[in-house]
Amino acid sequence: MKPCLEDSLGQLLFLRLRENRWSTSLERLLSGAAPGGILFSAPLPPSAELTSELLRKTARAIPHPSFLAVREEGGSVDQLGVFFPRLPLPRAAAEKGLSAVARLGELIGEALSLLGFNTNFAPLLDLATPFTEKSLAGRTFGADAKQVAQCGGAFIRGLGHHKILAVGKHFPGGGSVPFENSRDLAVSGKPMAALWREDLLPFRQLLPHLPMVLISPAAYKAYDFDQPRPACLSALVVNGLLRVKLDYRGLALAYDFESDAVRGTLDFGEAAIQSLNAGCDMLIVDEGRPFDAVRHALVAGLASGRLLRQRVEQSLGRIRAAKKRLTGPPGKIKKRALEQVVRGFENFSKEFR
């Protein structure tokens, strides 16, 4: 029997765990809410074996195949550094050439696959600019849009060799966004033609190879001039630019709903509904009050008509298509396989000392 639409709403949610620790309460949440994906935040459990066990239990608790994701780029964003040698920054790999970037992606993909992950919130496709150097620094591949596109493609291919789904971020580009530690919405004033020529170029070239993209929480005056809106709530950015103009068929992910800068005067639930109606497919929501509020709001929104049924059906179709590529967690980690990955990390990292 085909499940009713209300019973499938959990698939639209990407649950970000507060603690990477198994418990009976987490098991009840996963089996009851049935989220479409899990994002494991730092720090991971203190060993590869414990991390693998957590992933296996998580996959068993959710009643359908799920995205099991982590954010692993190397360098400063290195969740695997708990039990693997530290990898170089993406910028350092890019300076050595595309083969080094591809190798970085392959090593990360091999490690994630061994542990049981199937999705990586990488690569970062933002350009290096005075804005991004303050917050991202060596996490970006560089300032040249063509180079970023080439490096992003090499990294994606490296992950793909181990069946890890890539998430390109942050659409439509963060190079012109003055992110500051404040409660105000970050706004890009870059003209549309310049965005198309520069920040959007890596996405334009790589979208056919990206299963998912992470939508920026910043506003872009080029698309929402009169009333700046976060890109993840903007139909002009997500539907108009990403879907219609760029013909993207993969998943668009929205995040940062816990931020007052993104939500403004909206509560968690209303922000989630507006994001889905704007064209996003999955919402990354923190465990606890935000997640519970969004779950209840989606059910109520669908019943009242504020959450468009057509949009939900479109997103569920894209999610089903993406999940056809998923692999489940393997069995217990074999010592020899773990040692091989550790050696690969060590040998690669030595090249950058």
Side-chain angles (χ1 to χ4, degrees), residues 72-79 86-90 104 108 138-139:
E72 177 58 47
E73 301 170 3
S76 57
V77 180
D78 184 10
Q79 290 188 240
R86 178 64 61 90
L87 290 168
L89 284 160
L104 178 65
I108 291 173
R139 289 175 54 197

Side-chain angles (χ1 to χ4, degrees), residues 222-244:
Y223 299 97
D224 291 282
F225 183 80
D226 293 328
Q227 184 179 356
R229 292 174 59 80
C232 57
L233 301 180
S234 170
L236 294 173
V237 172
V238 183
N239 186 57
L241 175 61
L242 182 64
R243 296 297 185 197
V244 177

Side-chain angles (χ1 to χ4, degrees), residues 152-168:
F155 189 91
I156 293 166
R157 289 191 294 273
L159 293 178
H161 288 164
H162 299 279
K163 298 182 179 180
I164 301 297
L165 303 187
V167 181

Side-chain angles (χ1 to χ4, degrees), residues 301-334:
L302 191 64
S304 68
R306 285 170 40 251
L307 176 58
L308 304 178
R309 298 183 71 86
Q310 181 182 9
R311 277 294 307 114
V312 173
E313 291 167 350
Q314 287 175 341
S315 291
L316 290 174
R318 293 180 187 131
I319 292 167
R320 285 192 295 270
K323 287 190 172 184
K324 290 179 181 178
R325 302 171 59 180
L326 289 184
T327 57
K332 291 185 177 181
I333 294 177
K334 295 181 179 179

Side-chain angles (χ1 to χ4, degrees), residues 246-294:
L246 296 177
D247 194 30
Y248 183 57
R249 310 294 179 86
L251 297 179
L253 311 184
Y255 77 113
D256 216 15
F257 287 110
E258 75 282 3
S259 165
D260 292 337
V262 171
R263 289 190 293 113
T265 59
L266 305 176
D267 59 28
F268 293 118
E270 183 60 29
I273 288 172
Q274 290 192 20
S275 181
L276 291 171
N277 283 341
C280 290
D281 301 298
M282 297 187 74
L283 312 172
I284 302 162
V285 188
D286 286 341
E287 181 184 2
R289 187 172 70 90
F291 186 76
D292 294 337
V294 168

Side-chain angles (χ1 to χ4, degrees), residues 55 67-72 80 104-123 154-168 209-212 322 325-330:
L55 286 165
F67 303 110
L68 302 175
V70 71
R71 187 173 65 136
E72 177 58 47
L80 303 183
L104 178 65
E106 287 176 5
L107 286 169
I108 291 173
E110 184 179 14
L112 296 183
S113 178
L114 178 69
L115 295 169
F117 293 102
N118 53 37
T119 304
N120 187 17
F121 274 55
F155 189 91
I156 293 166
R157 289 191 294 273
L159 293 178
H161 288 164
H162 299 279
K163 298 182 179 180
I164 301 297
L165 303 187
V167 181
H209 311 289
L210 279 169
M212 309 181 202
R325 302 171 59 180
L326 289 184
T327 57

Side-chain angles (χ1 to χ4, degrees), residues 147-200:
Q147 181 197 25
V148 171
Q150 291 172 343
C151 288
F155 189 91
I156 293 166
R157 289 191 294 273
L159 293 178
H161 288 164
H162 299 279
K163 298 182 179 180
I164 301 297
L165 303 187
V167 181
K169 54 190 185 182
H170 302 89
F171 184 88
S176 61
V177 178
F179 281 109
E180 302 291 347
N181 293 324
S182 74
R183 296 167 63 91
D184 297 328
L185 177 64
V187 179
S188 165
K190 197 168 188 176
M192 189 180 296
L195 282 170
W196 183 263
R197 184 175 62 251
E198 298 166 1
D199 301 66
L200 278 166

